[in-house]
Each structure stands twice: as C-alpha cells, then as structure tokens.
Amino acid sequence: MLLIATLLTAIVIAIHVYIVLIETVLFRTRGRKVFGIKEDRVDALAPLMSNQGCYNGFLVASLAVGLLHPNPAIGRAFAVFGLVCVAVAGAWGAATVSRRILFVQTVPAALALAAWLAA
C-alpha cells in the first residue's frame, strides 16, 4: 500500500506542478485557454493567478518533502498534511469556481490520502 500511496502522491504532485505552471508562467497563453479567460481580462487577472500559483507551489513543496524526507514518519506527516490541504482547497474550488476542480484536485488527493492512511 505504501507504493500505491507514493505513486498517487506523485500523480498529485504532477497535477499541481502543471497547475503552478498554467497559473504563473503560462497564464497568458495556455492558462487563459484552460481557465476560459477572455483576452481582455488576462492583464487584470495575471497577478491574481500568479499569486494563486505560488500557493499551489507550496502544496507541491509539502508533498515533495513528504516523498523525499529521510525520516519516514516526518515524510508521512508532510504527505498527509499536503494531501489534506489539496483536498480541502479542491473542495472549496469546486464549491466556488467549478465542479471540475473536484475531479482534478480533490479526488486524486483523497485517493492518495486514503492510501497513506491504509499503509
């Protein structure tokens, strides 16, 4: 089960690295299309999205520490904390922005979290 937890957490990391990229460096191109932002709103929203991307980067960092920390107990704590944060943020995003966020962020995080708790 530990292998499954690790693999699912790596998937959540990959999803959030992509999110960080489309909210920051790719927002004016790919990000605009992904989020359905009209061209005339990009300049106004770019700073907000970049800030949001920064926060998603912190989630990636927590999960990466979870997988890479040499002490398994500390690594597990970081992974569980990061996955709970992703799941809560995803649920909030689904409630306030788009239901699609529930499936892109919350479901993978919840599956990984369940695997960690079962490991």
Side-chain angles (χ1 to χ4, degrees), residues 82-113:
L83 291 167
V84 168
C85 289
V86 170
V88 169
W92 183 256
T96 60
V97 178
S98 168
R99 198 171 3 168
R100 182 177 73 163
I101 295 171
L102 187 71
F103 302 103
V104 173
Q105 292 182 13
T106 306
V107 170
L111 291 173
L113 182 59

Side-chain angles (χ1 to χ4, degrees), residues 41-71:
R41 304 272 299 138
V42 170
D43 287 336
L45 293 176
L48 300 172
M49 294 304 288
S50 182
N51 186 54
Q52 187 169 308
C54 182
Y55 284 100
N56 277 303
F58 294 136
L59 294 174
V60 169
S62 175
L63 295 172
V65 169
L67 294 186
L68 300 173
H69 200 282
N71 182 321

Side-chain angles (χ1 to χ4, degrees), residues 8-23:
L8 289 172
T9 302
I11 290 169
V12 174
I13 289 171
I15 290 167
H16 278 75
V17 166
Y18 176 69
I19 291 170
V20 169
L21 290 173
I22 63 172
E23 289 177 343

